[in-house]
Amino acid sequence: MTKILAIAGKEFRQTRRDPFSLMMLLGVPTFMLLLYGFALNFDVRHVALAVQDRSQTRESRDLVAAFVNSTYFDNAGRFAPGDDAGRVFEKRNAKAILVIPEDYARDVQAGRQAPVQLLVDGADAATATTLLGYAEGLVAQQNVAIHAAVTGDSTATAPISFEPRVWYNPELKSTNFLVPGLIGFILMLTAVLSTALSVVREKERGTMEQLLVTSLRPSELLIGKTIPYLAISLAATAIILVAARVLFGVAVRGSYLDLFIATFVYLIGALGLGLLVSSIAGTQAMAFQVGSLLSMLPTIFLSGFIFPIRSFPRALQILTYAIPARYFLVISRGIIVKGAPLTTYLDDMGFLTIYAALMLAIAWRRLITEQR
């Protein structure tokens, strides 16, 4: 027992002398609990709703107010009759479009069928299914309210006919939503960890010092370290797309060239992050922990891959702007599911480019510091 206590005491002292390991053991679980405790939220609220109100009557305004006041939908502005619904969905100006015909008020007052159409962006199958359920419930409540106002009887329903239309993914297949997200997740994880572990392995074997004292410039070392993993990651992307097409029937509706460009820039940023992690960690175990913390968890929970960002608290919504996977998922889903051109997502591509340049610049700077 004395020997066991002696070994345990030694481990406690070593852990206390290593503040970074102590932070990983105590600080990270607490941080993850606070961060993801707020982030993990399956509620779908404040969805952008565009409205095409051709009736322009009190009855149509009451219907729009019922949608907006429910807090499930936010009024994203007017959808004019000549506007392209596909363009609205591609630019993410709205996730749903409510179309109220000209004769809506007259049909409601006369007790005739009053059709109302809801167009829903089906690229996110889970969100689209939830929105359809919300809309059906809201229309049912409005039917009861209208009938009660006209007849004084709340037991029957008014004749509003709700007609939903799901775009891009009519069958609401979850694979159409998950495959682009899986591409972003897998590439971020493999690119960061493979690069970080490769460089740290050189440090552990003592060969990194030999490379640094050669005539190699830091930029040459960075490029040489990233090229193999960039090629491997691009090959992995091709394999994922082929498997998704063959096994799940998910085809790329947009341009393969656009998808390649977006993936290439995204991978450059991920590889730069891996190089940065390698400059911080001294062992492969530590590189794996830090790389997983900075790549895997944010990509799963804070990018919109599984949980809708609009359901996060405001502080976490702001934090997601620093997650590159958030922008890549928007681009990949737009190209794969909607067939949108890359020019639609120039803002997202701009961030990915800035992120990649920043990661490489920081990694290059730290490498120069180590060389000195």
Side-chain angles (χ1 to χ4, degrees):
M1 188 64 182
T2 304
K3 295 179 181 179
I4 295 176
L5 292 176
I7 293 296
K10 180 185 74 69
E11 290 299 320
F12 273 119
R13 287 192 297 272
Q14 287 183 343
T15 303
R16 189 176 65 252
R17 292 167 183 169
D18 186 358
F20 191 77
S21 296
L22 190 62
M23 182 190 69
M24 294 292 294
L25 293 172
L26 298 179
V28 171
T30 304
F31 172 75
M32 291 174 61
L33 174 64
L34 295 176
L35 180 62
Y36 300 121
F38 287 106
L40 304 185
N41 190 338
F42 290 98
D43 295 338
V44 178
R45 292 183 179 272
H46 302 291
V47 176
L49 174 71
V51 178
Q52 184 182 106
D53 185 0
R54 298 182 180 181
S55 178
Q56 295 294 328
T57 58
R58 178 178 59 82
E59 287 80 3
S60 65
R61 288 191 290 270
D62 288 343
L63 179 60
V64 174
F67 273 75
V68 176
N69 293 338
S70 68
T71 72
Y72 299 135
F73 297 91
D74 289 339
N75 196 333
R78 183 171 178 267
F79 178 72
D83 291 346
D84 183 2
R87 194 66 174 169
V88 172
F89 288 147
E90 288 175 4
K91 290 186 174 182
R92 297 174 294 130
N93 294 331
K95 290 288 292 183
I97 301 174
L98 179 64
V99 182
I100 304 174
E102 297 176 357
D103 298 332
Y104 170 78
R106 288 193 294 270
D107 290 340
V108 167
Q109 294 170 0
R112 296 190 298 268
Q113 286 288 322
V116 172
Q117 188 175 63
L118 183 71
L119 307 178
V120 179
D121 182 355
D124 183 344
T127 299
T129 302
T130 304
L131 293 182
L132 292 177
Y134 288 161
E136 289 177 357
L138 292 171
V139 170
Q141 292 176 8
Q142 191 68 7
N143 277 336
V144 173
I146 291 174
H147 189 85
V150 174
T151 66
D153 180 12
S154 61
T155 60
T157 58
I160 298 180
S161 175
F162 174 62
E163 300 178 2
R165 295 290 185 272
V166 180
W167 283 49
Y168 308 116
N169 188 12
E171 299 177 357
L172 293 176
K173 294 170 57 179
S174 59
T175 51
N176 289 336
F177 166 74
L178 291 175
V179 167
L182 285 173
I183 294 175
F185 168 68
I186 293 171
L187 293 184
M188 175 60 71
L189 181 63
T190 55
V192 170
L193 292 183
S194 60
T195 309
L197 293 176
S198 171
V199 176
V200 174
R201 191 183 306 118
E202 299 268 16
K203 292 182 180 180
E204 289 184 337
R205 293 175 178 176
T207 54
M208 178 58 72
E209 289 78 5
Q210 298 176 9
L211 290 174
L212 293 176
V213 298
T214 63
S215 59
L216 277 173
R217 293 193 295 269
S219 58
E220 295 172 338
L221 183 59
L222 285 177
I223 295 174
K225 278 290 182 184
T226 56
I227 284 179
Y229 300 106
L230 177 61
I232 293 172
S233 298
L234 289 173
T237 304
I239 293 173
I240 294 172
L241 292 176
V242 172
R245 183 71 176 94
V246 174
L247 300 178
F248 306 110
V250 179
V252 178
R253 297 184 179 182
S255 168
Y256 281 95
L257 178 60
D258 289 347
L259 185 60
F260 170 80
I261 294 173
T263 304
F264 182 85
V265 177
Y266 178 66
L267 282 174
I268 293 296
L271 294 171
L273 178 59
L275 291 172
L276 180 59
V277 170
S278 70
S279 67
I280 298 173
T283 64
Q284 293 187 61
M286 187 61 67
F288 182 84
Q289 294 179 16
V290 176
S292 299
L293 180 65
L294 296 180
S295 61
M296 180 175 65
L297 298 179
T299 302
I300 292 178
F301 296 119
L302 299 179
S303 66
F305 173 29
I306 298 177
F307 306 101
I309 294 175
R310 57 185 164 273
S311 65
F312 295 173
R314 183 58 182 169
L316 284 184
Q317 290 186 25
I318 295 174
L319 179 62
T320 61
Y321 287 105
I323 308 300
R326 167 182 177 150
Y327 304 91
F328 179 73
L329 293 188
V330 170
I331 298 172
S332 61
R333 284 171 180 161
I335 295 174
I336 294 175
V337 179
K338 301 178 182 179
L342 187 60
T343 53
T344 305
Y345 307 107
L346 292 180
D347 292 342
D348 301 282
M349 277 299 301
F351 176 85
L352 289 180
T353 304
I354 293 173
Y355 179 84
L358 184 62
M359 288 296 102
L360 288 178
I362 296 175
W364 178 78
R365 183 64 181 175
R366 289 190 62 87
L367 188 60
I368 288 181
T369 303
E370 289 184 3
Q371 195 174 31
R372 292 175 179 172

